Amino acid sequence: MAFPVQRMRRTRRTAPLRGLVRETELSVGDLVYPIFVAAGEDVRNPVDSMPGVFQLSINHAVEEAREAYRLGIPAVLLFGIPEQKDEAATGAYDPEGIVQLATRAIKDAVPELVVITDVCLCEYTSHGHCGVVEKETGEVLNDVTLELLARTAASQAEAGADIVAPSDMMDGRVAAIRSELDSEGFHNTPIMAYAAKYASSFYGPFREAAESAPAFGDRRSYQMDPANAREALLEVELDVEEGADIVMVKPALPYLDVVRRVREATNLPLAAYSVSGEYAMIKAASQNGWLDERSAVLEALTGIKRAGAEIIITYFAPQVARWLSE
């Protein structure tokens, strides 16, 4: 049928009609809230490039987690900022490391909240890379790094993490982590793999927040080339074969085509990380009066869900939860 018999505007006339035929519904249950946990007492350091985001000491991180749970947000994702860093990233797998301590504190305070822990070395290495570096060449050593990542994941599971999330992009890290978790008795701890993580320009504000910028070079030898989409499907396939329970695409908005292709390629739960640069752009534009923050955020996150992601990691999570409850 064509116009005038078919009139598409008939179901757009009123808000109730639009709601009745709406295909994609964003829910607070879709959201994961990232939190930066810093060593020290009573720390609440604002991140200049991410207005509204803070580095938080454990006491404030617990308060933030408790508020997230009150708002209906089902999960938080923890990133650690240790007091000291070294070439071996010892703070990553220290049983008394910042993420391990924060995990215990949050699980004690809010047992029902899902705590996801980032498994990577970049926040803990003195050079800022995601793995062990060969001093003579500056090369990030893949296989040596796997052991440290596995130890990190096991220590986080021991601390009470509900999900571990390797973000390093070393080859074989999901299999190494699954083996270590199983050997330590954590058979039921899921792995949310950063399966398709691109070497993106949109991570800049995160590196300020996590204090994890590389001291030399870049991460293009292990993170994905932004030009590649088929490669993402291979990365996902490999992570699934190695034992991933959830797969992720990162960033989200510049890679919605990849989110869609991954959704069509696997039946595993799919996460998409709306990264710091996406957050900062909307914040900056709204503060300058160029965008309406609320409508822009909800449109962006709905687009991520429409592309196929069931799980959306976003720094806007508390604001979105409040908006959706109105």
Side-chain angles (χ1 to χ4, degrees), residues 82 84-94 100 120-133 145 148-149 151-152:
Q84 295 182 331
K85 305 186 180 195
D86 55 45
E87 292 185 358
T90 53
Y93 42 87
D94 183 349
Q100 289 81 354
C120 195
L121 306 184
C122 63
E123 296 116 282
Y124 307 93
T125 54
S126 51
H127 46 69
H129 277 285
C130 300
V132 177
V133 169
T145 299
L148 301 186
L149 294 171
R151 290 173 60 186
T152 299

Side-chain angles (χ1 to χ4, degrees), residues 37 58 80 82 90-104 124 155 159:
V37 188
I58 290 175
T90 53
Y93 42 87
D94 183 349
E96 300 300 309
I98 185 64
V99 164
Q100 289 81 354
L101 292 174
T103 298
R104 293 189 190 100
Y124 307 93
S155 71

Side-chain angles (χ1 to χ4, degrees), residues 16-27:
L17 280 171
R18 291 190 295 272
L20 187 66
V21 300
R22 184 164 293 130
E23 299 173 23
T24 305
E25 197 75 34
L26 183 67
S27 164

